[in-house]
Amino acid sequence: MSNPNLLRFVLLALLWGSSFALIKVSLEGLSPSQLVLARLLLGAAVLGSIALIRRVPLPRTRPVWGHVALAALFGNVLPFLLLSYGEQSTGAGIAGVLIGGTPLLTLALATAALTTEPATGRKTIGLAVGFAGIVLVIAPWNSTLGSLGGQLACFGAAVSYAVGFVYVRRFLSPLGLAPLALATGQLLAAVALQVVATPFLAWRSPDPTPRVIVSILLLGVLSTGLAYVLYFRLIGDTGATTASAVNYLVPVVAVLVGAAFLDEPVTWNLVVGGLVVLLGMGHAENRLPRRRASRSAPPATAATGPATPDVTGPGGQSSQRAGSRSC
């Protein structure tokens, strides 16, 4: 990975990992529905402006917009709301670790729903290990880590993200839409859905303190808008598989930012459970380092070709699996 892409990779991990702390701070002056509407508007403004400058055409037909709207429901509106409600009663670090299990959930749903993703022994073991780690993180036996309801809401957000990713792979990726067009259309559809839903959700008089204003601006402009741009640039430069490895850093950043800026405790089960989730995810995705071949193994012949590269399919999705997410 080149130095510019490495910088983008680290910056993306910081943006997504810090989003959980920004949500926590924004909730000091906004209700969950107000927070979600604000971050969606800001994120859509960023991507819409970039799409306009680059003259990227948005989807035009009604059937495509119908799929985009459903992708926005599961990939933006529902998880954003569940995270906001969940973080009212649980920590940003815990939320980050639980959302870090999204690729694992995506793999499980893709295996169950897509014929191109058959179950294997490696996937089964990895999923079992990963879900054991999630139980450790939630720690239903320990009430000092926040309410179980809040943690389950954050886990529900991870499930919603996973449903959204599988839906995109099934119905939108085969259409070959430009990634920026898909991301912009999805955020615009999410804004429309949230505008319709907001009057029916809890509302309160906003308390826009400087701390809250800065947090929601960072959350919407950077962690929601700019993060998409960085992610799709990484996909284009390094491939979806390499870009999706950012998911391994996001939970770590979330825990560190929560501890450093919000004084959240770093408990043993949060650390151990998070590591177990990452281990299970790594095994299921076949990312763990393999043992070196035995010295007695026959050398490769001259006829042996190069390793098969990562193939990125339509819509920026890897032919193997795209572990993308948006916090």
Side-chain angles (χ1 to χ4, degrees), residues 3-290:
N3 288 336
N5 281 327
L6 180 60
L7 180 61
R8 294 185 187 102
F9 187 90
V10 173
L11 181 58
L12 181 59
L14 291 174
L15 290 177
W16 274 343
S18 61
S19 66
F20 304 98
L22 294 174
I23 291 172
K24 193 78 172 176
V25 175
S26 298
L27 287 169
E28 295 175 2
L30 300 172
S31 69
S33 58
Q34 292 168 341
L35 187 160
V36 172
L37 182 59
R39 73 176 292 191
L40 284 174
L41 282 170
L42 291 169
V46 172
L47 288 186
S49 299
I50 295 174
L52 185 63
I53 293 172
R54 294 184 178 179
R55 297 182 180 180
V56 176
L58 297 179
R60 295 182 180 180
T61 64
R62 288 185 180 180
V64 174
W65 273 108
H67 287 308
V68 170
L70 283 173
L73 176 65
F74 291 107
N76 298 105
V77 177
L78 284 179
F80 285 6
L81 283 172
L82 286 169
L83 270 176
S84 299
Y85 280 108
E87 286 198 48
Q88 286 182 315
S89 57
T90 196
I94 293 176
V97 173
L98 291 173
I99 293 297
T102 297
L104 202 66
L105 294 167
T106 304
L107 188 63
L109 288 175
T111 299
L114 302 178
T115 56
T116 57
E117 300 279 352
T120 63
R122 173 175 52 79
K123 288 181 182 179
T124 302
I125 294 173
L127 292 173
V129 172
F131 284 116
I134 289 173
V135 173
L136 276 175
V137 173
I138 293 177
W141 59 85
N142 191 346
S143 60
T144 63
L145 298 177
S147 73
L148 180 60
Q151 294 172 20
L152 290 177
C154 293
F155 181 69
V159 174
S160 185
Y161 277 134
V163 172
F165 293 143
V166 173
Y167 188 88
V168 167
R169 288 194 64 183
R170 175 65 177 83
F171 295 102
L172 286 173
S173 292
L175 301 180
L177 298 173
L180 181 58
L182 177 57
T184 303
Q186 188 170 318
L187 280 187
L188 289 173
V191 169
L193 291 172
Q194 185 60 28
V195 167
V196 172
T198 293
F200 302 97
L201 301 174
W203 188 272
R204 73 178 190 184
S205 298
D207 183 18
T209 64
R211 174 181 164 99
V212 171
I213 292 174
V214 171
S215 294
I216 193 62
L217 285 174
L218 293 175
L219 181 63
V221 174
L222 299 183
S223 295
T224 306
L226 180 61
Y228 264 117
V229 179
L230 288 173
Y231 182 70
F232 287 127
R233 177 61 185 272
L234 280 172
I235 288 178
D237 289 349
T238 67
T241 300
T242 299
S244 69
V246 73
N247 291 295
Y248 289 88
L249 290 181
V250 169
V252 178
V253 174
V255 171
L256 293 178
V257 171
F261 294 98
L262 301 179
D263 295 325
E264 293 184 352
V266 181
T267 59
W268 72 267
N269 62 291
L270 180 60
V271 175
V272 175
L275 290 175
V276 172
V277 170
L278 294 178
L279 180 64
M281 188 163 65
H283 184 75
E285 294 182 333
N286 200 24
R287 291 182 182 268
L288 299 181
R290 300 177 180 178

